[in-house]
């Protein structure tokens, strides 16, 4: 479990990112159903990205005061940006709506998606445009409801993390799910090649055994982010909130 992993162990970073990564893919799937560009969330890291030995998950010589954890990290700390940019995932940076070139009236042109069982956000009012769906509704149901209300031209469709978790991971057909999985394989596949090397796990480096030698003195690293589960050809959409959240915990790499 995450709580059993030492705070500055790279494995903790990878385990906690598994929750974040699945939500990002859920958001991309919802954006695909809505036929919209996805404004990426702010990314959080629990370990710095460095090609060689990390010290307490930080660049060598950097103190905890100079680099507190966790921290808001750039997109390319967690993903291969070039693969995303050249993929079928239309996206914008997390700060897109803060850009001064975005008109104030567009920022306020919002439709909010909420799933029953998720907490109503403090900013919501009874007068705003809101789409409320039952737990277990799929991404296509969200898109259909937005169109049915005549709100498909809204500048922003907003959804919070818990509502996203309570939607069924399904685009409405085996064909759509399969196409989405292929896109995600392209943009996420490189994550398996990313390594984090902890100095504590390599006590003999820079010592009597000398530097890195693949055969005589191999380096001990943690490899790869944990990929989210693919969309199933035929989704079995649960409708009970507790059951949905329990299933997500069960499929998380936290055993």
């Amino acid at each position: 479990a995450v709580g059993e992993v030492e705070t500055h162990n790279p494995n903790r970073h990878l385990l906690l990112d598994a929750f974040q990564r699945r939500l990002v893919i859920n958001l991309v799937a919802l954006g695909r159903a809505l036929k919209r560009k996805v404004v990426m969330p702010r990314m959080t890291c629990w370990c710095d990205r460095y090609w060689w030995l990390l010290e307490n998950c930080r660049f060598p010589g950097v103190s905890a005061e100079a680099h507190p954890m966790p921290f808001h990290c750039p997109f390319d700390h967690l993903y291969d940006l070039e693969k995303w940019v050249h993929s079928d995932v239309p996206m914008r940076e997390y700060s897109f709506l803060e850009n001064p070139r975005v008109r104030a009236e567009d920022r306020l042109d919002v439709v909010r998606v909420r799933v029953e069982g998720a907490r109503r956000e403090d900013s919501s009012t009874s007068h705003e445009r809101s789409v409320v769906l039952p737990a277990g509704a799929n991404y296509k149901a969200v898109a259909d409801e937005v169109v049915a209300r005549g709100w498909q031209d809204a500048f922003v469709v907003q959804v919070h993390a818990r509502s996203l978790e309570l939607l069924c991971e399904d685009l409405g057909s085996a064909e759509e799910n399969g196409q989405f999985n292929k896109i995600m394989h392209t943009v996420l596949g490189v994550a398996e090649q990313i390594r984090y090397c902890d100095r504590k796990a390599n006590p003999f480096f820079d010592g009597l055994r000398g530097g890195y030698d693949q055969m005589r003195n191999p380096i001990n690293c943690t490899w790869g982010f944990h990929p989210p589960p693919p969309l199933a050809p035929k989704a079995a959409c649960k409708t009970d909130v507790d059951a949905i959240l329990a299933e997500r915990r069960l499929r998380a790499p936290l055993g």
Side-chain angles (χ1 to χ4, degrees), residues 3 65 78 83 113 121 151 160 175 179 194 197 237:
E65 291 74 23
L78 301 172
K83 287 188 179 296
V113 173
E121 297 301 315
W151 296 338
H160 288 274
E175 181 181 2
Q179 290 176 357
I194 295 171
C197 309
C237 300

Side-chain angles (χ1 to χ4, degrees), residues 38-207:
V38 173
V39 178
M40 286 293 175
R42 284 171 60 101
M43 301 297 170
T44 298
C45 287
W46 295 263
C47 199
D48 204 354
R49 176 94 177 264
Y50 179 51
W51 69 276
W52 195 234
L53 295 180
L54 290 159
E55 298 175 356
N56 292 322
C57 261
R58 297 177 177 85
F59 191 90
V62 175
S63 67
E65 291 74 23
H67 191 175
M69 299 284 180
F71 65 102
H72 167 218
C73 55
F75 189 84
D76 63 2
H77 264 41
L78 301 172
Y79 302 97
D80 186 328
L81 180 58
E82 184 176 359
K83 287 188 179 296
W84 284 76
V85 169
H86 297 290
S87 73
D88 291 327
V89 182
M91 55 180 280
R92 292 290 182 266
E93 68 281 6
Y94 79 94
S95 58
F96 172 73
L97 293 174
E98 301 168 15
N99 191 305
R101 288 180 292 181
V102 176
R103 298 181 304 173
E105 56 266 34
D106 287 336
R107 292 192 191 96
L108 298 175
D109 184 15
V110 179
V111 170
R112 289 183 170 85
V113 173
R114 186 172 67 85
V115 177
E116 293 173 353
R119 180 174 64 87
R120 184 184 292 274
E121 297 301 315
D122 295 338
S123 61
S124 63
T125 70
S126 58
H127 302 293
E128 70 180 10
R129 294 184 295 178
S130 296
V131 171
V132 181
L133 293 106
N138 66 11
Y139 305 128
K140 183 178 183 300
V142 177
D144 289 346
E145 185 64 20
V146 171
V147 171
R149 299 287 190 94
W151 296 338
Q152 64 272 20
D153 293 329
F155 193 76
V156 179
V157 175
Q158 183 184 79
V159 60
H160 288 274
R162 180 46 57 89
S163 285
L164 202 54
E165 285 185 312
L166 294 176
L167 289 173
C168 181
E169 294 173 306
D170 175 46
L171 284 162
S173 73
E175 181 181 2
E176 285 289 338
N177 290 350
Q179 290 176 357
F180 181 77
N181 289 338
K182 289 179 181 178
I183 295 169
M184 291 302 98
H185 177 75
T186 298
V187 299
L188 296 178
V190 72
E192 299 172 357
Q193 305 169 23
I194 295 171
R195 71 178 188 181
Y196 289 85
C197 309
D198 184 15
R199 183 170 290 279
K200 288 183 179 179
N202 294 276
F204 296 110
F205 270 81
D206 305 328

